[in-house]
């Protein structure tokens, strides 16, 4: 959520005034987008590789499984 908040704050700031975003604002946006993409990739890997094993252990302990409907 922190990365999303930073991106939203940047969008808010660059929307002020009559000019387009500065080169540094574009660079910060690109950096934030790369960081967000990296986190999403890590989440997808976790869900595809580790969720099934976690759910198996949860079932063995009599706990409800974690269900993903969509990412």
């Amino acid at each position: 959520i922190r990365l999303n908040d930073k991106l939203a704050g940047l969008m808010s700031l660059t929307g002020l005034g009559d000019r387009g975003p500065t080169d540094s604002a574009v660079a910060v946006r690109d950096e934030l987008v790369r960081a967000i993409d990296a986190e999403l990739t890590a989440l997808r890997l976790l869900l595809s590789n580790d969720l099934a094993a976690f759910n198996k252990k949860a079932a063995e302990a009599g706990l409800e499984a974690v269900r993903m409907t969509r990412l």
Side-chain angles (χ1 to χ4, degrees), residues 23-43:
D23 290 342
S24 60
V26 172
V28 169
R29 182 210 55 203
D30 292 346
E31 182 179 328
L32 288 169
V33 168
R34 279 192 301 275
I36 291 168
D37 286 344
E39 291 297 321
L40 288 172
T41 297
L43 176 61

Side-chain angles (χ1 to χ4, degrees), residues 1-58:
I1 192 160
R2 287 182 280 171
L3 291 171
N4 187 54
D5 286 348
K6 288 179 182 181
L7 186 59
L10 179 65
M11 289 174 48
S12 176
L13 289 174
T14 57
L16 299 174
D18 295 331
R19 297 178 184 246
T22 63
D23 290 342
S24 60
V26 172
V28 169
R29 182 210 55 203
D30 292 346
E31 182 179 328
L32 288 169
V33 168
R34 279 192 301 275
I36 291 168
D37 286 344
E39 291 297 321
L40 288 172
T41 297
L43 176 61
R44 286 183 184 103
L45 285 171
L46 177 107
L47 292 174
S48 65
N49 297 334
D50 298 336
L51 186 59
F54 175 84
N55 282 338
K56 182 179 177 187
K57 288 188 181 270

